[in-house]
Amino acid sequence: MTQIKLKTLNIIDENQTRMHAGLVVLILIAYMASGNLSFIYMLIYDFFARIYVTSLISPLYLLSKGLVNLIGLKQRFSEESAKEFASHIGLMIIFVALYAELLNWTSFSYMLITFFGVWKTFEATKDICFACKLYELLVRKNIRVESL
């Protein structure tokens, strides 16, 4: 008897991820303007909850989902694996920026936050995700990317 494995394709709404990226940019701008670390903690909680627990306790995910439904944008679906890889990289950048800020390396922290903000601005406005492109390049080179 042969065993058949069904591969389920996880899909995600592109418009919702773009809205999420726009909300992240707004929070990053608020952090840069005020220097208040609570904005960074909020982003860490949001990314961590969305990646490792469930997206249903992520405040930015729920807000972006509500805004997409409120605006009435038509759903555009794509595979989730590239966006998940990008979320892991984003979480790592935010953690390093927090660590730098806690060590009083404020200029390095602001540099990382600015880089992350530019990345998310491109994702929100132009639908260009740099980490997704990196993921696609790794897949084309037959490099398997797995999360913990």
Side-chain angles (χ1 to χ4, degrees), residues 106-125:
T106 306
S107 59
F108 181 68
S109 173
Y110 278 19
M111 182 187 70
L112 285 174
I113 293 298
T114 303
F115 167 75
F116 190 57
V118 168
W119 166 21
K120 287 298 184 178
T121 302
F122 271 101
E123 185 175 354
T125 58

CSV table of all heavy atoms in Angstrom, one decimal, residues 106-125:
chain,number,residue,atom,x,y,z
A,106,THR,N,22.3,54.2,19.4
A,106,THR,CA,21.0,54.8,18.8
A,106,THR,C,21.2,55.0,17.3
A,106,THR,O,20.3,54.8,16.6
A,106,THR,CB,20.7,56.1,19.6
A,106,THR,OG1,20.6,55.8,21.0
A,106,THR,CG2,19.4,56.6,19.1
A,107,SER,N,22.3,55.5,16.9
A,107,SER,CA,22.5,55.7,15.5
A,107,SER,C,22.4,54.4,14.7
A,107,SER,O,21.8,54.4,13.6
A,107,SER,CB,23.8,56.5,15.2
A,107,SER,OG,24.9,55.7,15.6
A,108,PHE,N,23.0,53.4,15.2
A,108,PHE,CA,22.9,52.1,14.5
A,108,PHE,C,21.5,51.6,14.5
A,108,PHE,O,21.0,51.0,13.5
A,108,PHE,CB,23.8,51.1,15.1
A,108,PHE,CG,23.8,49.7,14.5
A,108,PHE,CD1,24.3,49.5,13.2
A,108,PHE,CD2,23.3,48.6,15.1
A,108,PHE,CE1,24.3,48.3,12.6
A,108,PHE,CE2,23.3,47.4,14.5
A,108,PHE,CZ,23.8,47.2,13.3
A,109,SER,N,20.8,51.8,15.6
A,109,SER,CA,19.4,51.3,15.7
A,109,SER,C,18.5,52.1,14.7
A,109,SER,O,17.7,51.5,14.0
A,109,SER,CB,18.9,51.6,17.1
A,109,SER,OG,17.5,51.3,17.2
A,110,TYR,N,18.8,53.4,14.6
A,110,TYR,CA,18.0,54.2,13.7
A,110,TYR,C,18.3,53.9,12.2
A,110,TYR,O,17.4,53.9,11.4
A,110,TYR,CB,18.3,55.7,13.9
A,110,TYR,CG,17.4,56.3,15.0
A,110,TYR,CD1,16.8,55.5,16.0
A,110,TYR,CD2,17.3,57.7,15.1
A,110,TYR,CE1,16.1,56.1,17.0
A,110,TYR,CE2,16.5,58.2,16.1
A,110,TYR,CZ,15.9,57.4,17.1
A,110,TYR,OH,15.2,58.0,18.1
A,111,MET,N,19.5,53.5,12.0
A,111,MET,CA,19.9,53.0,10.6
A,111,MET,C,19.1,51.8,10.3
A,111,MET,O,18.6,51.7,9.2
A,111,MET,CB,21.4,52.8,10.5
A,111,MET,CG,21.9,52.4,9.2
A,111,MET,SD,23.6,51.9,9.1
A,111,MET,CE,23.6,50.4,10.0
A,112,LEU,N,19.1,50.8,11.2
A,112,LEU,CA,18.3,49.6,10.9
A,112,LEU,C,16.8,49.8,10.7
A,112,LEU,O,16.2,49.3,9.8
A,112,LEU,CB,18.5,48.6,12.1
A,112,LEU,CG,19.9,47.9,12.1
A,112,LEU,CD1,20.0,47.0,13.4
A,112,LEU,CD2,20.0,47.0,10.9
A,113,ILE,N,16.3,50.7,11.6
A,113,ILE,CA,14.9,51.0,11.5
A,113,ILE,C,14.6,51.8,10.2
A,113,ILE,O,13.6,51.5,9.5
A,113,ILE,CB,14.4,51.9,12.7
A,113,ILE,CG1,14.5,51.0,14.0
A,113,ILE,CG2,13.1,52.4,12.5
A,113,ILE,CD1,13.6,49.8,14.0
A,114,THR,N,15.5,52.6,9.7
A,114,THR,CA,15.3,53.3,8.5
A,114,THR,C,15.4,52.3,7.3
A,114,THR,O,14.5,52.4,6.4
A,114,THR,CB,16.4,54.4,8.3
A,114,THR,OG1,16.3,55.3,9.4
A,114,THR,CG2,16.2,55.2,7.0
A,115,PHE,N,16.3,51.4,7.3
A,115,PHE,CA,16.4,50.4,6.3
A,115,PHE,C,15.1,49.6,6.3
A,115,PHE,O,14.5,49.3,5.2
A,115,PHE,CB,17.6,49.5,6.5
A,115,PHE,CG,17.5,48.2,5.7
A,115,PHE,CD1,17.8,48.3,4.4
A,115,PHE,CD2,17.2,47.0,6.3
A,115,PHE,CE1,17.8,47.1,3.6
A,115,PHE,CE2,17.2,45.8,5.5
A,115,PHE,CZ,17.5,45.9,4.2
A,116,PHE,N,14.6,49.2,7.4
A,116,PHE,CA,13.4,48.4,7.5
A,116,PHE,C,12.2,49.2,7.1
A,116,PHE,O,11.3,48.7,6.4
A,116,PHE,CB,13.2,47.9,9.0
A,116,PHE,CG,12.1,46.9,9.1
A,116,PHE,CD1,12.1,45.7,8.4
A,116,PHE,CD2,11.0,47.1,10.0
A,116,PHE,CE1,11.1,44.8,8.6
A,116,PHE,CE2,10.0,46.2,10.2
A,116,PHE,CZ,10.0,45.0,9.4
A,117,GLY,N,12.2,50.5,7.4
A,117,GLY,CA,11.1,51.3,6.9
A,117,GLY,C,11.1,51.5,5.4
A,117,GLY,O,10.0,51.5,4.8
A,118,VAL,N,12.2,51.7,4.8
A,118,VAL,CA,12.3,51.8,3.4
A,118,VAL,C,11.8,50.5,2.7
A,118,VAL,O,11.1,50.5,1.7
A,118,VAL,CB,13.7,52.2,2.9
A,118,VAL,CG1,13.9,52.0,1.4
A,118,VAL,CG2,14.1,53.6,3.4
A,119,TRP,N,12.3,49.4,3.3
A,119,TRP,CA,11.8,48.1,2.7
A,119,TRP,C,10.3,48.0,2.8
A,119,TRP,O,9.7,47.6,1.8
A,119,TRP,CB,12.5,47.0,3.5
A,119,TRP,CG,12.0,45.6,3.4
A,119,TRP,CD1,11.2,45.1,2.4
A,119,TRP,CD2,12.1,44.5,4.3
A,119,TRP,NE1,10.9,43.8,2.6
A,119,TRP,CE2,11.5,43.4,3.8
A,119,TRP,CE3,12.8,44.4,5.5
A,119,TRP,CZ2,11.4,42.2,4.4
A,119,TRP,CZ3,12.8,43.1,6.1
A,119,TRP,CH2,12.1,42.1,5.6
A,120,LYS,N,9.7,48.3,3.9
A,120,LYS,CA,8.3,48.2,4.1
A,120,LYS,C,7.5,49.2,3.3
A,120,LYS,O,6.4,49.0,2.8
A,120,LYS,CB,7.9,48.3,5.6
A,120,LYS,CG,8.2,47.1,6.4
A,120,LYS,CD,7.5,45.9,5.8
A,120,LYS,CE,7.7,44.6,6.6
A,120,LYS,NZ,6.9,43.5,6.1
A,121,THR,N,8.1,50.4,3.1
A,121,THR,CA,7.5,51.4,2.2
A,121,THR,C,7.4,50.9,0.8
A,121,THR,O,6.4,51.1,0.1
A,121,THR,CB,8.3,52.7,2.3
A,121,THR,OG1,8.3,53.2,3.6
A,121,THR,CG2,7.7,53.8,1.4
A,122,PHE,N,8.5,50.3,0.3
A,122,PHE,CA,8.4,49.7,-1.1
A,122,PHE,C,7.4,48.6,-1.1
A,122,PHE,O,6.7,48.4,-2.1
A,122,PHE,CB,9.8,49.1,-1.5
A,122,PHE,CG,10.7,50.1,-2.1
A,122,PHE,CD1,11.7,50.7,-1.4
A,122,PHE,CD2,10.5,50.4,-3.5
A,122,PHE,CE1,12.5,51.7,-2.0
A,122,PHE,CE2,11.3,51.4,-4.1
A,122,PHE,CZ,12.3,52.0,-3.4
A,123,GLU,N,7.3,47.8,-0.1
A,123,GLU,CA,6.3,46.7,-0.1
A,123,GLU,C,4.9,47.3,-0.1
A,123,GLU,O,4.0,46.8,-0.7
A,123,GLU,CB,6.5,45.8,1.1
A,123,GLU,CG,5.6,44.6,1.1
A,123,GLU,CD,5.9,43.6,2.3
A,123,GLU,OE1,6.9,43.8,3.0
A,123,GLU,OE2,5.1,42.7,2.4
A,124,ALA,N,4.7,48.3,0.7
A,124,ALA,CA,3.3,48.9,0.8
A,124,ALA,C,2.9,49.7,-0.4
A,124,ALA,O,1.8,49.6,-0.9
A,124,ALA,CB,3.2,49.8,2.0
A,125,THR,N,3.8,50.4,-1.1
A,125,THR,CA,3.5,51.2,-2.2
A,125,THR,C,3.7,50.6,-3.5
A,125,THR,O,2.8,50.7,-4.4
A,125,THR,CB,4.2,52.6,-2.1
A,125,THR,OG1,5.6,52.3,-2.2
A,125,THR,CG2,3.9,53.3,-0.9
